[in-house]
Amino acid sequence: MQAVQFSEHGDRDVLEYGEFPDPEAGRDEVVVDVKAAALNHLDIWTRRGLPGVELEMPHIPGSDMAGVVHEVGEGVTRFEPGDRVALIAGVAGEHSEFTRKGDPTLAHDFHIIGEHVRGVHAEYAAVPAANLVPVPEGVDWEVAGSASLVFQTAWRMLVDRGEIRPGESVLVLGASGGVGHAAVQIADHAGAEVFATASTDEKLRYAEECGADHTINYESDDFAAAIRDATGRRGVDMVVDHIGAATYEDSLKSLRKGGRVVTCGATTGPNPDAGLNRIFWNQLSVIGSTMATPGEADEALDLVWDGTFEPRVRDTLPMSEIARAHEMIENREGFGKVVVIPDSEL
């Protein structure tokens, strides 16, 4: 088969699209004929190299995909060849206490397909059957292949960890990215007043289409000052921040007393000043969130499948143009997800 792969960490020039051994289904695995896959920022981090993460080389990236079941292992009963499926990328050991309690993201052995083990940017991918969900007929492959990671991540951030409530005010940073544009839609669906930031007026118009009530161009405006002005110096109830060091201080400044910031990542760096004086004086909460439980993922994706939520696709490229796809993510070009399709499907 043909697969996206790299044999060393580095810049985009380490990426190749070429021959790779066909996968075989283990006892509890399914081989999927991939129809569409999508990129996330973690693909960039994985390619560059993550501290403490050692990969089997060559590595196939990719944590989002959808396709048709091609083969099932002898222990698989949930799926059969021909079924339409999408990937849920988070994996935890089946004997973990947190897995048994329904929250595998807290397991000590939790890992992510595509980040810690070989991923799905290939013509075929072998994945645990437990990490697949059915995709209804009529759902486009580009939608099915780009929704899972960002919508489940944003759903857990806002609904489970952030405990969003109708009538609250929510600031979503980086609303043009995958998690950001999903968070805007989820916050709007929850009945919140939604503030959103992005770097261009065009991206802000897209954010409004996704449900943002107020928008702020962070390239030209101080978003913390803009929030204080817009809320009569009160601040918002919640900030959704997946950007990290570059925005953390202003995220805290944007909160009302007793407010909360929820974070799932740090694309600009993981070690900002803690801001403890502001946290204790204003009694703020800083809440971490990673991926989602299977139940949370199902809740989020059901609302994608029925059209309530819509993953926006900024571009669709053949997998052989994977370096260009990475470039779009790194340079923050466009709004929403970048989808890649096996060249054999074009």
Side-chain angles (χ1 to χ4, degrees):
M1 71 169 182
Q2 299 285 304
V4 175
Q5 55 196 283
F6 56 83
S7 296
E8 60 181 335
H9 295 297
D11 207 343
R12 294 186 295 271
D13 58 2
V14 303
L15 293 164
E16 300 178 25
Y17 184 63
E19 288 293 326
F20 200 91
D22 290 349
E24 297 180 359
R27 175 180 172 78
D28 297 313
E29 290 185 329
V30 170
V31 174
V32 179
D33 179 356
V34 176
K35 300 301 182 183
L39 276 74
N40 298 281
H41 262 101
L42 64 83
D43 296 311
I44 308 302
W45 304 328
T46 302
R47 189 201 75 220
R48 292 173 178 172
L50 288 164
V53 177
E54 294 186 12
L55 300 176
E56 180 183 1
M57 296 292 188
H59 180 72
I60 298 175
S63 303
D64 261 333
M65 70 87 179
V68 176
V69 172
H70 176 71
E71 177 188 352
V72 300
E74 61 182 21
V76 176
T77 59
R78 291 179 61 222
F79 300 104
E80 59 185 31
D83 287 349
R84 293 162 54 93
V85 294
L87 179 70
I88 303 293
V91 181
E94 60 182 292
H95 301 299
S96 161
E97 62 174 311
F98 292 108
T99 303
R100 292 195 297 273
K101 293 176 181 177
D103 197 348
T105 66
L106 296 174
H108 71 277
D109 54 354
F110 181 77
H111 63 276
I112 299 173
I113 294 169
E115 182 175 0
H116 303 97
V117 297
R118 283 175 177 159
V120 295
H121 286 173
E123 290 183 305
Y124 294 91
V127 298
N131 287 87
L132 294 172
V133 294
V135 175
E137 292 288 342
V139 176
D140 290 343
W141 286 125
E142 289 186 5
V143 169
S146 63
S148 174
L149 192 142
V150 296
F151 276 92
Q152 66 170 300
T153 297
W155 183 270
R156 179 175 174 86
M157 288 179 76
L158 276 79
V159 177
D160 181 75
R161 301 289 287 147
E163 298 182 340
I164 191 171
R165 294 180 292 275
E168 288 195 308
S169 52
V170 177
L171 169 62
V172 178
L173 303 184
S176 64
V179 170
H181 92 295
V184 168
Q185 294 180 59
I186 292 167
D188 178 57
H189 179 71
E193 181 181 14
V194 185
F195 296 80
T197 73
S199 60
T200 69
D201 291 342
E202 180 182 19
K203 291 178 180 179
L204 292 175
R205 286 193 293 273
Y206 281 120
E208 290 176 343
E209 291 179 9
C210 286
D213 300 296
H214 315 278
T215 58
I216 303 166
N217 186 325
Y218 66 77
E219 291 287 357
S220 58
D221 297 314
D222 178 333
F223 74 80
I227 289 294
R228 291 195 296 273
D229 289 343
T231 61
R233 304 197 65 79
R234 173 186 181 271
V236 295
D237 297 291
M238 183 195 303
V239 175
V240 177
D241 187 344
H242 51 92
I243 298 172
T247 54
Y248 176 78
E249 181 180 0
D250 282 336
S251 290
L252 296 182
K253 290 180 181 179
S254 299
L255 290 170
R256 66 163 174 85
K257 287 184 179 292
R260 58 219 190 267
V261 57
V262 188
T263 178
C264 69
T267 57
T268 60
N271 297 308
D273 184 280
L276 293 179
N277 57 336
R278 188 178 296 274
I279 290 172
F280 70 69
W281 187 252
N282 289 335
Q283 301 187 63
L284 307 178
S285 298
V286 179
I287 303 168
S289 185
T290 295
M291 301 291 283
T293 68
E296 291 162 352
D298 287 341
E299 287 181 293
L301 289 177
D302 282 348
L303 291 168
V304 174
W305 305 152
D306 73 10
T308 300
F309 299 148
E310 178 188 356
R312 300 298 179 94
V313 176
R314 68 182 85 173
D315 206 350
T316 300
L317 301 171
M319 283 189 181
S320 58
E321 296 182 21
I322 190 64
R324 171 59 183 148
H326 276 237
E327 181 181 33
M328 293 181 71
I329 299 293
E330 288 181 288
N331 293 344
R332 298 179 293 137
E333 298 178 32
F335 186 97
K337 299 297 293 286
V338 177
V339 173
V340 289
I341 295 176
D343 287 42
S344 57
E345 294 290 332
L346 298 173

